[in-house]
């Protein structure tokens, strides 16, 4: 793909994103580049977002000297200053609830990112718009509601077990049955509308949920992986470090967060009902989950050699 075609792909993505934002009565405004950034990006803001939200689109460093350009889109949402210390201290708990992006180590921002690819344009535009508008308030509402419902179930992401049901998911049991049928070769299982896939290092599940904080119904992807997979040599790569690696280097769209608990490492990603009109969205999320199964360990192995994070 030539540089001209790649830039056309960027414009196509921006057009799709603007369409998605307009459905939420929001807009995308381009601002001057930030001269302090190592990679000169195109920088955008969403004035209508409840928290300061920026979108950066840039060519990846690894493609700078290659004939085929590659472009990454990043979402950065600033968290309220009066909440940052608390969020930083409770970062592991907060990342279990932050299912539209990952929290930086200082509790100041929520990150999400993806490479721009023509086959994922509709879903990427819809999910990026959701992250720009709701990732920060989604986390804050989740933390607030932990005082009013089972904190253990909130951390597990098991919102579907908590009554009352506020907004039924647009993904029905029949949708999960279709997913199970379409991906029968993976040998997953279907139980009470929840599709599960055992993997060598843990398990992957997709489940409709009805009462996620702030956004109500939607679809939850939950990937669990063994802690031992992230021990590189004599050192364990933490969930915080894995989130950083995923943000800067991940090839798979990352609109969720890694966290660590007694069972190991978990990655959670939530698609609200508002993106349910995207064709085959559940299939996209399943494919992303399968890609993370393959990429998480390889990202962790890169950590000791990356001076940018030291």
């Amino acid at each position: 793909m030539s540089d001209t075609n790649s830039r056309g792909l960027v414009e196509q993505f921006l057009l799709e994103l603007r369409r998605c934002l307009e459905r939420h009565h929001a807009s995308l405004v381009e601002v001057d580049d930030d001269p302090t950034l190592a990679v000169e990006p195109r920088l955008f803001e969403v004035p209508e977002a409840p928290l300061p939200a920026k979108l950066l689109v840039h060519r990846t460093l690894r493609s700078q000297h290659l004939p085929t350009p590659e472009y990454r889109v990043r979402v950065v949402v600033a968290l309220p200053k009066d909440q940052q210390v608390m969020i930083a201290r409770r970062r592991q708990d907060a990342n279990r609830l932050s299912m539209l992006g990952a929290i930086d180590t200082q509790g100041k921002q929520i990150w999400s990112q993806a490479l721009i690819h023509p086959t994922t344009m509709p879903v990427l535009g819809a999910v990026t718009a959701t992250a720009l508008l709701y990732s920060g308030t989604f986390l804050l509402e989740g933390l607030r509601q932990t005082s009013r419902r089972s904190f253990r179930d909130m951390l597990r992401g098991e919102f579907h077990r908590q009554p009352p049901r506020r907004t039924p998911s647009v993904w029905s049991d029949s949708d999960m049955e279709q997913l199970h049928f379409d991906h029968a070769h993976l040998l997953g299982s279907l139980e009470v509308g929840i599709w599960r896939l055992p993997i060598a290092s843990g398990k992957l599940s997709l489940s409709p949920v009805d009462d996620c904080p702030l956004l109500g119904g939607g679809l939850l992807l939950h990937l669990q992986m063994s802690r031992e997979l992230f021990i590189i040599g004599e050192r364990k790569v933490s969930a915080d470090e894995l989130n950083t690696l995923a943000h800067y280097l991940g090839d798979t769209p990352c609109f969720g967060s890694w966290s660590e608990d007694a069972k190991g490492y978990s990655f959670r990603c939530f698609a609200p009902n508002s993106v349910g009109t995207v064709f085959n969205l559940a299939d996209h999320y399943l494919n992303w989950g399968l890609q993370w199964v393959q990429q998480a360990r390889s990202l962790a192995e890169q950590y000791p050699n990356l001076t940018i994070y030291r």
Side-chain angles (χ1 to χ4, degrees), residues 129-147:
T130 303
L132 282 164
L133 291 171
Y134 301 116
S135 59
T137 49
F138 178 86
L139 167 65
L140 296 175
E141 181 65 10
L143 290 171
R144 186 183 70 83
Q145 289 195 24
T146 58
S147 63

Side-chain angles (χ1 to χ4, degrees), residues 156-171:
R156 288 176 178 172
E158 295 177 347
F159 302 101
H160 55 283
R161 296 184 181 179
Q162 290 297 316
R165 297 190 172 190
R166 299 189 336 188
T167 310
S169 174
V170 297
W171 285 273

Side-chain angles (χ1 to χ4, degrees), residues 56-299:
L56 296 86
V57 182
H58 68 86
R59 185 172 177 176
T60 61
L61 282 172
R62 64 189 181 188
S63 75
Q64 289 296 314
H65 303 292
L66 297 177
T68 303
E70 177 184 63
Y71 289 89
R72 191 183 300 276
V73 54
R74 302 185 189 278
V75 173
V76 181
V77 175
L79 292 167
K81 290 185 178 180
D82 61 349
Q83 301 287 316
Q84 291 174 6
V85 173
M86 178 273 293
I87 291 172
R89 288 175 178 171
R90 296 179 58 189
R91 197 164 54 256
Q92 280 302 309
D93 293 341
N95 264 325
R96 294 185 184 99
L97 299 173
S98 184
M99 292 179 283
L100 294 173
I103 304 165
D104 74 337
T105 55
Q106 296 179 314
K108 293 182 177 181
Q109 300 171 332
I110 294 180
W111 299 335
S112 48
Q113 65 81 21
L115 295 173
I116 299 176
H117 195 276
T119 62
T120 60
M121 197 69 69
V123 64
L124 183 57
V127 177
T128 301
T130 303
L132 282 164
L133 291 171
Y134 301 116
S135 59
T137 49
F138 178 86
L139 167 65
L140 296 175
E141 181 65 10
L143 290 171
R144 186 183 70 83
Q145 289 195 24
T146 58
S147 63
R148 294 194 290 115
R149 62 175 68 198
S150 169
F151 186 58
R152 179 177 297 177
D153 286 341
M154 290 284 287
L155 296 187
R156 288 176 178 172
E158 295 177 347
F159 302 101
H160 55 283
R161 296 184 181 179
Q162 290 297 316
R165 297 190 172 190
R166 299 189 336 188
T167 310
S169 174
V170 297
W171 285 273
S172 64
D173 287 354
S174 61
D175 291 319
M176 294 297 100
E177 290 172 3
Q178 187 65 51
L179 184 78
H180 183 55
F181 176 80
D182 292 342
H183 299 276
H185 61 286
L186 295 176
L187 303 179
S189 64
L190 187 65
E191 181 182 351
V192 196
I194 302 173
W195 185 85
R196 293 186 175 91
L197 177 67
I199 55 178
S201 54
K203 62 182 178 180
L204 172 66
S205 67
L206 280 170
S207 57
V209 295
D210 299 313
D211 65 344
C212 265
L214 184 71
L215 296 179
L219 183 71
L220 175 66
L221 179 151
H222 186 193
L223 171 63
Q224 293 177 277
M225 300 184 73
S226 169
R227 182 178 291 101
E228 286 69 28
L229 289 172
F230 302 101
I231 298 176
I232 310 300
E234 298 180 353
R235 184 181 184 278
K236 184 186 76 172
V237 176
S238 70
D240 278 337
E241 292 165 340
L242 191 56
N243 279 322
T244 303
L245 287 161
H247 179 70
Y248 283 104
L249 297 177
D251 290 341
T252 303
C254 194
F255 292 90
S257 61
W258 289 94
S259 60
E260 186 177 3
D261 56 29
K263 295 182 179 180
Y265 283 58
S266 290
F267 179 80
R268 294 179 178 88
C269 182
F270 179 70
N273 282 350
S274 60
V275 300
T277 56
V278 177
F279 182 66
N280 283 347
L281 185 137
D283 295 88
H284 282 290
Y285 270 55
L286 171 56
N287 289 330
W288 293 352
L290 293 173
Q291 290 171 34
W292 275 119
V293 171
Q294 301 296 322
Q295 292 182 27
R297 165 75 183 193
S298 63
L299 278 178

